[in-house]
Amino acid sequence: MAEQAAPWYRTVSGRVWIAGAAVVVLGAGLTVAAVTRDDGPTGGAGTPAAARSGPAGHRIVLPDRIGEQARLPGDDSSALRASYEERTKVFKHRDLTAGTYSPSGAPGNTLTVIGLTGSYPNPGGKVAFYFDDLARSDVFRDDSVQGLQDYPAGPLGGVLRCATLNSATATQSTCVWADGDTVGIVVDEKGAARPDDLAKRALEIRTAVEVEG
């Protein structure tokens, strides 16, 4: 009987087997790296935005009271929402809520609170764009954004930035916080609060209104 030829895999040298195995391992490594590599924008100082953003799945809910301040009845009017829909267009949000608060619910020294829910992988960059848009708008322009400064964002993370806004008819103080899921804007419509003081108030408001989604 004629001798049967050896299977093909027995004719391949050991070196070829080793080289093939190395190619497979290298390819798998590149695939894992491509999947896990973070090419997203950073939140500042070279840190990935996810490490600087707030907890996942958060949103803004405005209660009837925040501390000693009560929400004014009928404040979430279509006009108020439309005004801030236009002003906050830089934040591509899924939801916008707005409310006005004052001590004991009486008009006077009021704060307007705007809450946005969306996806913000670079919260610091979005807040910078927001203030840039205000400076270029028809209402706030010609060095109208003054004293822009970062403040500690508190345990929820992200960024907190405050400034004074000057227009031809009014002066406002405003603070904006942002994390991976939410943006909150606090506006002192009469400009009575200094940005440093409003930053502390904004942190208290954020604690009260940013909740798990």
Side-chain angles (χ1 to χ4, degrees):
M1 176 180 292
E3 184 176 352
Q4 187 175 7
W8 66 269
Y9 52 82
R10 292 185 179 178
T11 64
V12 179
S13 69
R15 291 183 180 179
V16 173
W17 278 111
I18 294 174
V23 169
V24 172
V25 172
L26 178 60
L30 291 175
T31 301
V32 171
V35 172
T36 59
R37 182 165 51 95
D38 180 10
D39 282 333
T42 59
T47 304
R52 298 173 60 84
S53 64
H58 277 207
R59 61 193 177 98
I60 305 295
V61 176
L62 300 185
D64 291 336
R65 298 190 66 88
I66 300 177
E68 298 179 354
Q69 291 194 314
R71 188 170 180 175
L72 296 179
D75 64 340
D76 198 8
S77 65
S78 58
L80 177 64
R81 290 175 57 83
S83 171
Y84 281 97
E85 284 278 7
E86 176 63 22
R87 186 183 293 194
T88 60
K89 60 186 177 182
V90 66
F91 302 109
K92 299 184 185 301
H93 51 271
R94 294 191 302 269
D95 181 61
L96 181 150
T97 183
T100 303
Y101 293 81
S102 69
S104 301
N109 185 18
T110 61
L111 294 177
T112 299
V113 181
I114 302 92
L116 308 172
T117 303
S119 177
Y120 309 109
N122 185 0
K126 282 295 186 182
V127 173
F129 288 150
Y130 174 72
F131 280 106
D132 286 345
D133 269 5
L134 291 182
R136 292 192 301 265
S137 72
D138 293 335
V139 177
F140 300 105
R141 57 185 179 183
D142 300 330
D143 297 325
S144 60
V145 179
Q146 298 179 346
L148 185 62
Q149 185 174 339
D150 285 323
Y151 293 87
L156 291 174
V159 297
L160 173 64
R161 199 163 294 165
C162 304
T164 299
L165 307 178
N166 297 307
S167 71
T169 59
T171 296
Q172 299 178 352
S173 301
T174 187
C175 290
V176 182
W177 79 76
D179 56 39
D181 303 300
T182 69
V183 173
I185 302 171
V186 180
V187 181
D188 174 4
E189 302 287 355
K190 299 198 172 190
R194 295 168 50 246
D196 289 2
D197 296 329
L198 191 61
K200 297 176 183 177
R201 185 73 180 118
L203 284 180
E204 297 172 358
I205 293 172
R206 183 183 185 187
T207 301
V209 305
E210 185 172 337
V211 301
E212 292 184 2

